[in-house]
Amino acid sequence: MTTPTAPPTGTTATAPSTGRRHLTPSRTTATAARVLRQLHHDPRTIALLLIVPVAMITLLRYVFDGAPDTFDPIGASLLGIFPLITMFLVTSIATLRERTSGTLERLLALPLGKGDLIAGYALAFGAIAVVQSALATAVSVWLLGLDVMGSPWLLLLVALLDALLGTALGLFVSAFAASEFQAVQFMPAVIFPQLLLCGLFIPRDQMHPVLEAISNVLPMSYAVDGMNQVLHHPDLTGDFLRDIAVVAGSALLVLCLGAITLRRRTP
């Protein structure tokens, strides 16, 4: 049996790094830069993030070609919903792929905490969300004739917060999926109920009281309400500020949950 040797005089033995350090800007930005480099080499994902929302809103505009007044409320709502859905899908699959490939385990073996990793992903996809939301808002307002009484910048703000919420939800659910197919399967469970209850198809106060109560705790409901506030009011309203606060708070809460539930590898 080999006897363990003591460390040399004047030195202190150190334990292996667990990667659980305080969140630091340098590690967060390095993670974000790595994610953006990976996306740069994946044109199909970039097309999904940037082109598909614009294409869907354009298609919707010409579906209601004979009823432009119908396009305004539905188009404004979907301007916030489409970024949420696409960011949820891409983020959940991208995070899961890093875990199944072993990349996540290697990263967390470095001086990189879970908070750094989650914040880096949020920063990278947040940058994509800015471009996505700006492009979709510009096309909707200036090319497709979406008529809103409020500022288009407020539409952009809600769309951006929705995209960040989709990113947070994608990071969170990826911890519970063992394959990319399972990650996609979470969409009916996480996104579709919110889509049905958000007030897109019928005002929430006209739903069954139980469904209305459920919709009151779903963040997508407040995203749609915020878009409708911009659609009908030229100035900021208290309801709009409440709506964006709920969406932003929900995104932050889910990001924290994502950092807690993040695992190094898939069993």
Side-chain angles (χ1 to χ4, degrees):
M1 178 181 298
T2 304
T3 303
T5 57
T9 304
T11 63
T12 304
T14 58
S17 172
T18 63
R20 297 181 181 179
R21 299 185 179 183
H22 295 295
L23 189 148
T24 59
S26 60
R27 291 194 287 264
T28 299
T29 53
T31 301
R34 181 185 61 80
V35 174
L36 290 174
R37 285 195 299 270
Q38 290 178 336
L39 288 175
H40 178 71
H41 297 291
D42 191 352
R44 288 175 295 184
T45 298
I46 293 176
L48 175 64
L49 291 172
L50 300 183
I51 298 177
V52 169
V54 173
M56 292 297 99
I57 292 176
T58 302
L59 176 62
L60 182 71
R61 165 63 181 85
Y62 291 102
V63 166
F64 293 106
D65 192 43
D69 292 339
T70 305
F71 169 70
D72 290 339
I74 296 180
S77 298
L78 291 180
L79 191 59
I81 293 174
F82 283 153
L84 190 155
I85 294 175
T86 55
M87 297 303 287
F88 170 85
L89 184 62
V90 171
T91 306
S92 59
I93 293 177
T95 309
L96 180 65
R97 187 177 298 169
E98 292 222 321
R99 198 170 69 244
T100 55
S101 66
T103 301
L104 186 59
E105 184 177 11
R106 292 192 295 270
L107 288 172
L108 291 179
L110 300 172
L112 182 72
K114 291 183 178 181
D116 293 311
L117 190 68
I118 292 293
Y121 265 95
L123 183 61
F125 284 105
I128 298 291
V130 171
V131 180
Q132 179 194 67
S133 302
L135 185 60
T137 302
V139 169
S140 299
V141 174
W142 287 294
L143 292 183
L144 301 180
L146 181 65
D147 188 16
V148 295
M149 295 187 65
S151 170
W153 292 105
L154 297 180
L155 284 181
L156 175 61
L157 174 61
V158 180
L160 176 58
L161 291 176
D162 286 346
L164 293 176
L165 176 61
T167 299
L169 289 170
L171 289 169
F172 176 64
V173 304
S174 67
F176 305 98
S179 66
E180 294 181 15
F181 180 68
Q182 287 187 4
V184 175
Q185 286 179 315
F186 273 106
M187 181 172 287
V190 177
I191 301 298
F192 287 179
Q194 296 193 66
L195 186 61
L196 293 174
L197 299 177
C198 68
L200 176 64
F201 302 104
I202 187 172
R204 293 192 292 123
D205 57 7
Q206 297 180 21
M207 297 178 183
H208 188 280
V210 174
L211 296 180
E212 183 184 359
I214 295 174
S215 73
N216 288 336
V217 299
L218 298 177
M220 189 183 291
S221 301
Y222 295 91
V224 171
D225 287 350
M227 287 295 191
N228 287 330
Q229 288 292 317
V230 180
L231 185 68
H232 298 295
H233 300 279
D235 300 317
L236 281 175
T237 64
D239 288 342
F240 175 81
L241 296 176
R242 177 209 63 192
D243 294 334
I244 62 172
V246 170
V247 176
S250 299
L252 181 59
L253 174 62
V254 177
L255 280 176
C256 294
L257 292 175
I260 295 172
T261 59
L262 184 66
R263 294 177 295 169
R264 294 187 175 206
R265 66 171 66 184
T266 298

